[in-house]
Amino acid sequence: MRTMTISDTSRAPLTANVTRLGRSAIDECRDLAESRHWDREERKWDLLFAVGEVYGIRDQDGELATAAVLARNGATTATIGMVLTAERYERRGLGAATVRHLVSVADSAVLTMYATENGRPLYERLGFVADGVNTSYRGTVTAETSTGRSRPAEPADLPGIRAVDAHAHGADRSKVLNRLPRFCSHLRVLDDHGAVTGYAGAWPNDTTTVVGPVIAANEDDALALVTDLVADIDGPIRLEAHSTRPRLTEWARSRDLSGFDTTTMTYRGEDHPGARDHWWSPITVALG
Ligand SMILES: CC(C)(COP(=O)(O)OP(=O)(O)OC[C@H]1O[C@@H](n2cnc3c(N)ncnc32)[C@H](O)[C@@H]1OP(=O)(O)O)[C@@H](O)C(=O)NCCC(=O)NCCS
């Protein structure tokens, strides 16, 4: 546990004890997110508590001052997400203390995270480097026609899904992947004579159906998976498109989806061990 004292002239000193939060803190995390104008996202927080480690700092009254999530993929890679500091404690080093703690418990894992404009300087000081820009698109796609190239995933596809995902991520993400059939409202695969060569899912969040993860060997496959998923989805969707994925961006724009948020993708550590050109969209930016 990392401890430091934050001087504060207006209140009693706050000791920055970063501790692991149990599932019972889910509503406090959602309250903290909402206080920073993020959605409450119960389904997402539920997944994050199940597959990740949620940490935070409590103030002298026991209230949550910060929160952040570390999601490990075996020992080789991990993602940091949902970094939040309550507004009343902003700019006193608590966000940095929390992320530093996560970096330390992640040990030698290569870390990825999507940084907001406010968060980015903090992460850069902790050794994260920028790796392109991610744009979040949102909107309703009407009358999308399926390409007919993918099919709904079946239970027997899970080993194939785990294999293509492990290749793209350079890590075993079984913990989260085993939950996908229940977590996703839509899950599709591409198969070549019975062997899964790519997969994509979509899941219902507060106000949109989030399209992701998308793992595919090439652009045509990725776009076919996204198109086939979206052909089945009613109502607004959300889709992440990284700056190194211009055709995905083009796909989103040509459907009149609007880019409502941008984040900088950052990483820390050695080269990413995965075949990153097979990675197209995250499950959620908090998990990669
Ligand atoms: C980003 C965030 C976690 C920073 O938390 P924090 O406890 O204030 O962080 P620290 O005190 O350790 O570091 C402060 C640094 O963050 C940045 N920062 C924090 N608040 C900021 C603000 N309102 N405007 C601009 N930059 C800000 C600055 O670089 C600042 O350094 P400085 O004070 O030397 O200029 C917090 O502002 C927050 O929760 N924001 C809303 C949610 C969010 O964007 N989270 C980041 C996800 S990647």
Side-chain angles (χ1 to χ4, degrees):
M1 188 184 298
R2 209 164 270 270
T3 304
M4 76 185 195
T5 302
I6 307 297
S7 59
D8 175 356
T9 49
S10 64
R11 6 172 141 229
L14 179 65
T15 303
N17 282 339
V18 184
T19 57
R20 178 106 182 247
L21 304 176
R23 169 78 177 62
S24 57
I26 188 170
D27 285 337
E28 292 174 274
C29 292
R30 296 171 65 215
D31 290 345
L32 182 55
E34 190 174 35
S35 78
R36 300 309 314 244
H37 312 291
W38 286 5
D39 291 338
R40 291 184 63 77
E41 304 185 302
E42 182 171 16
R43 193 178 173 82
K44 180 161 104 185
W45 278 104
D46 200 45
L47 180 70
L48 295 175
F49 271 100
V51 304
E53 297 161 29
V54 184
Y55 292 88
I57 295 171
R58 292 190 181 280
D59 69 11
Q60 58 273 30
D61 299 322
E63 286 183 16
L64 212 51
T66 73
V69 179
L70 175 72
R72 299 174 199 265
N73 306 314
T76 50
T77 69
T79 302
I80 292 177
M82 308 307 277
V83 180
L84 289 156
T85 294
E87 216 156 352
R88 64 190 183 285
Y89 288 122
E90 202 161 62
R91 294 189 116 133
R92 296 185 214 180
L94 294 187
T98 307
V99 174
R100 212 178 293 121
H101 182 80
L102 268 58
V103 167
S104 134
V105 298
D107 203 11
S108 58
V110 175
L111 292 167
T112 56
M113 79 175 305
Y114 291 82
T116 60
E117 258 328 284
N118 284 359
R120 189 174 159 191
L122 184 166
Y123 310 130
E124 284 179 344
R125 288 199 282 266
L126 296 176
F128 286 82
V129 295
D131 187 25
V133 173
N134 180 72
T135 304
S136 307
Y137 287 91
R138 187 166 50 196
T140 302
V141 180
T142 49
E144 189 69 38
T145 308
S146 167
T147 67
R149 289 194 52 214
S150 69
R151 62 164 173 80
E154 293 163 7
D157 293 320
L158 203 48
I161 287 174
R162 282 198 298 257
V164 293
D165 192 273
H167 180 63
H169 284 273
D172 177 9
R173 302 206 309 159
S174 293
K175 203 169 172 185
V176 64
L177 298 180
N178 290 345
R179 283 182 158 76
L180 284 188
R182 270 177 294 134
F183 184 72
C184 291
S185 50
H186 303 73
L187 188 60
R188 301 188 71 89
V189 294
L190 288 168
D191 87 61
D192 183 12
H193 300 94
V196 172
T197 59
Y199 80 94
W203 53 277
N205 204 1
D206 288 1
T207 54
T208 57
T209 299
V210 178
V211 176
V214 181
I215 301 293
N218 56 56
E219 264 180 345
D220 287 341
D221 286 2
L223 293 178
L225 282 163
V226 170
T227 302
D228 293 356
L229 278 177
V230 171
D232 269 356
I233 297 173
D234 292 322
I237 62 162
R238 171 178 172 152
L239 172 71
E240 311 299 328
H242 191 268
S243 49
T244 54
R245 308 287 186 268
R247 278 188 64 205
L248 194 54
T249 301
E250 221 176 274
W251 185 97
R253 290 193 181 146
S254 66
R255 267 87 182 160
D256 285 335
L257 300 183
S258 46
F260 69 95
D261 196 18
T262 58
T263 43
T264 303
M265 194 159 185
T266 65
Y267 73 94
R268 185 181 189 281
E270 302 294 315
D271 275 351
H272 198 285
R276 292 302 273 171
D277 54 334
H278 288 209
W279 168 93
W280 295 85
S281 263
I283 302 171
T284 142
V285 294
L287 281 178

